Amino acid sequence: MSGTGRPAAKGDAMDMAGVIPGRGHWTAVVAVMVACTTVLTGTERAAAGGPPAPTAPVPRLDWRPCVPGGPFDCAEATVPLDHADPGGRTVELAVVRHRATGPGRRVGTLFFNPGGPGGPGTVQMPQIYGLFPREVRERFDIVSWDPRGVGSSTAVDCFATRQEATAWAESRPAGVPVGARQRADTFTAYRDLARRCARRDPELLRHVSTADSARDLDLLRQAVGEPRLTYLGISYGTFLGATYANLFPGKVRAMTLDSNVDARAYADGALGDAPLTTFLRLGSDRAAAAVLERFLTLCGSTSTTRCAFSAGGARATRAKFDELMRRLRTHPVGDWTYGRTAARVVNGLYVVDPGWTDVARALQRLWRGRTPEPAPRPAAPPVPHPDPYLGDEQAAAVLCAESPDPRDPGAYPGLEERAAARAGDAGRVWTWATAACTSWPAVAADRYSGPWNHPTAPLLLVGTRYDPATPYAGARALAGELADARLLTLDGYGHTALVNPSACVAAYESRYLIDGTLPPPGTTCHQDTAPFPAPTPTGAVATGGGALARTRS
């Protein structure tokens, strides 16, 4: 297992997860990883309709306290690198568990994936454990894991030392590259990354696909003694869930998918030189633009006490934002360039409270020519490796090997302008999120690209109307693709209902996961906390708290 504790390589492209810690964001629960998608070499193994893979031995989980006296248990699972060759090389999966708090009423085990690709479940599940519905915590052991290639599992790590990783990260512009020189530097850095990764472990690169992880998940299900899977996946974790449901349709007991990836748009048929990037196909650019517009409108409609960036009206606040972004293109504030700021704004929209308030404060400091204050890091969870290496290559290894993206670097400037025409600054951010895929040196050996309608137990999908990463339209599309799915709508903002809580959603999720009862068709819920809430005083001072813990310090 990898547990070096090296800091993640600096990156400002977008991630589909929403809650990776250890990166310096305005909102401490937002991940920043390179999200990418394409191929250079290799052959695709038929996953849909092909013969079943040979049976792999069920791993043994030797549970032990993650840290002495802590509430979480840890284990390692040994699984085949290639599920078609169960007698060959193996990889290790880091696994974490919290036992049901009401063991007399225990239903079983709930598996959780926090998204990504590249979300380390051994870190994120413990950090956000308190956000799971109370009844779910009482009735289920909650188990998560670092997927293969990630974090403390057998990881994709293309650097020999911390210094190498840091130097590489600093060799490319943060966020959106501006101008021909920065674009050239971006592609040069990604070519260098691809060369490093190809040298380090080319065999691993071909076996970190979503289908590989779905097969791992089925072995973990068997390892904990569950005849069928109960699962909660958020963001990219919804694509993993949909993949599992269609590879193992008879093994699904209950599955909640929150902030859904349009599976057909993500997979997009055969791999090749796609005309659009993954996230432009998904519509992430338009979704983020719509949320940014609501952010500016609601900010302008309230006081500067609640939204520091308010200019006293929606139109004036929008104009103020546009002027700031124009100014940053030629006059950065310290190392806060246009590209870095645009990426961080989109990231900051993931979590309404306190994320939106923090974004407004940071924008106001930039408006005044001052660099934003760093966000406080969330408390380290009680696990052996609370800050594993999460380099950009871990997300790239999945996305670039299984989801089509343009291979030609020359296509990106035109795609950026096309996206900017329909989605403004958010379009530029989401365009460049897959730039690493122009050079990626591997294609997934086991890639699932449909069909998505194998009959399963009924599934529950949760879609948020204003989601800056996985648009509500994607939830509706996936609900239509799956054989039996019910869509629950969260009429609110942010990325995932789990980290933007709704008591209404939690109640429906709990009922469904415990006894299979779905909400009535067309059900809509609301969030517990609206954007820009009144400051919560502690004594005479209003203080901000940890977004993961949902507390006030």
Side-chain angles (χ1 to χ4, degrees):
M1 294 193 309
S2 170
T4 64
R6 280 193 279 131
K10 181 183 71 176
D12 290 288
M14 309 307 298
D15 170 275
M16 299 179 65
V19 285
I20 293 178
R23 299 179 186 234
H25 282 219
W26 297 339
T27 301
V29 299
V30 178
V32 182
M33 281 190 181
V34 176
C36 41
T37 40
T38 314
V39 304
L40 293 183
T41 61
T43 58
E44 178 180 348
R45 184 171 75 192
T55 302
V58 176
R60 178 180 176 179
L61 297 175
D62 184 15
W63 294 109
R64 64 195 182 281
C66 294
V67 297
F72 297 96
D73 299 322
C74 288
E76 291 82 39
T78 301
V79 298
L81 173 69
D82 183 353
H83 285 274
D85 181 19
R89 176 183 168 184
T90 61
V91 294
E92 299 296 316
L93 305 179
V95 190
V96 67
R97 175 184 69 180
H98 194 296
R99 288 186 177 273
T101 58
R105 306 171 64 214
R106 182 179 179 276
V107 174
T109 300
L110 171 69
F111 284 90
F112 170 68
N113 179 271
T122 63
V123 176
Q124 294 178 298
M125 189 275 276
Q127 282 191 311
I128 64 174
Y129 175 77
L131 295 181
F132 288 87
R134 177 183 56 80
E135 284 189 284
V136 171
R137 286 181 275 129
E138 290 176 348
R139 306 294 292 277
F140 290 93
D141 295 347
I142 299 178
V143 171
S144 192
W145 75 107
D146 292 1
R148 55 172 61 210
V150 174
S152 294
S153 292
T154 299
V156 175
D157 182 349
C158 302
F159 300 95
T161 66
R162 175 185 305 184
Q163 289 74 19
E164 282 189 13
T166 300
W168 178 84
E170 292 176 349
S171 71
R172 66 182 182 88
V176 179
V178 177
R181 175 63 181 272
Q182 288 195 0
R183 291 170 187 153
D185 290 345
T186 295
F187 290 120
T188 297
Y190 284 131
R191 284 193 296 271
D192 179 48
L193 181 66
R195 285 192 295 268
R196 292 172 181 269
C197 292
R199 288 196 301 264
R200 291 277 286 185
D201 194 343
E203 187 182 18
L204 179 61
L205 298 184
R206 298 181 67 246
H207 294 285
V208 291
S209 72
T210 303
D212 289 315
S213 287
R215 300 185 198 281
D216 292 344
L217 177 56
D218 197 58
L219 290 178
L220 293 175
R221 171 192 64 79
Q222 296 173 66
V224 300
E226 293 291 350
R228 293 188 297 162
L229 179 73
T230 304
Y231 175 82
L232 169 61
I234 62 175
S235 191
Y236 160 81
T238 66
F239 183 72
L240 174 59
T243 300
Y244 181 95
N246 284 278
L247 286 176
F248 304 99
K251 297 299 184 181
V252 177
R253 174 190 171 271
M255 182 175 286
T256 296
L257 307 179
D258 175 3
S259 287
N260 293 272
V261 175
D262 181 340
R264 184 182 293 271
Y266 177 92
D268 196 37
L271 286 168
D273 195 6
L276 290 177
T277 71
T278 296
F279 297 115
L280 299 187
R281 289 198 308 274
L282 292 175
S284 301
D285 57 326
R286 286 173 165 162
V291 179
L292 177 58
E293 194 62 37
R294 294 298 299 158
F295 167 87
L296 295 170
T297 296
L298 294 173
C299 178
S301 301
T302 191
S303 66
T304 54
T305 302
R306 295 192 178 188
C307 179
F309 195 64
S310 176
R315 182 175 298 179
T317 304
R318 174 82 231 195
K320 180 180 178 181
F321 177 80
D322 291 341
E323 172 58 27
L324 173 61
M325 300 306 281
R326 282 193 295 269
R327 184 195 305 168
L328 289 172
R329 279 184 169 272
T330 54
H331 296 89
V333 178
D335 60 354
W336 284 86
T337 62
Y338 165 83
R340 180 182 181 185
T341 304
R344 296 298 177 89
V345 167
V346 173
N347 275 313
L349 299 176
Y350 278 36
V351 182
V352 170
D353 181 30
W356 285 29
T357 300
D358 292 345
V359 170
R361 289 172 180 160
L363 289 173
Q364 184 62 16
R365 287 183 67 88
L366 289 170
W367 179 258
R368 293 176 174 173
R370 298 156 61 190
T371 58
E373 296 176 347
R377 291 169 63 99
V383 297
H385 304 295
D387 190 19
Y389 176 68
L390 300 172
D392 292 350
E393 64 267 36
Q394 294 183 7
V398 179
L399 283 163
C400 293
E402 71 177 14
S403 180
D405 267 275
R407 295 267 307 277
D408 178 12
Y412 272 78
L415 287 172
E416 178 188 350
E417 293 310 315
R418 177 176 174 179
R422 73 184 194 181
D425 300 302
R428 300 184 191 279
V429 171
W430 280 111
T431 299
W432 286 95
T434 57
C437 297
T438 56
S439 303
W440 194 250
V443 59
D446 185 10
R447 172 180 176 265
Y448 187 81
S449 57
W452 303 101
N453 60 352
H454 290 295
T456 66
L459 311 183
L460 175 62
L461 276 57
V462 181
T464 302
R465 288 199 187 277
Y466 288 97
D467 184 323
T470 52
Y472 181 68
R476 297 182 64 180
L478 186 60
E481 286 283 337
L482 298 171
D484 189 355
R486 179 70 50 82
L487 177 59
L488 173 63
T489 299
L490 175 60
D491 190 7
Y493 307 91
H495 187 48
T496 83
L498 184 62
V499 299
N500 295 282
S502 162
C504 171
V505 169
Y508 282 120
E509 283 185 341
S510 299
R511 194 173 310 161
Y512 165 72
L513 291 171
I514 291 168
D515 61 26
T517 301
L518 289 165
T523 299
T524 296
C525 290
H526 297 277
Q527 283 176 321
D528 295 344
T529 303
F532 305 119
T536 302
T538 300
V541 180
T543 60
L548 289 172
R550 310 292 298 180
T551 59
R552 296 294 184 187
S553 57

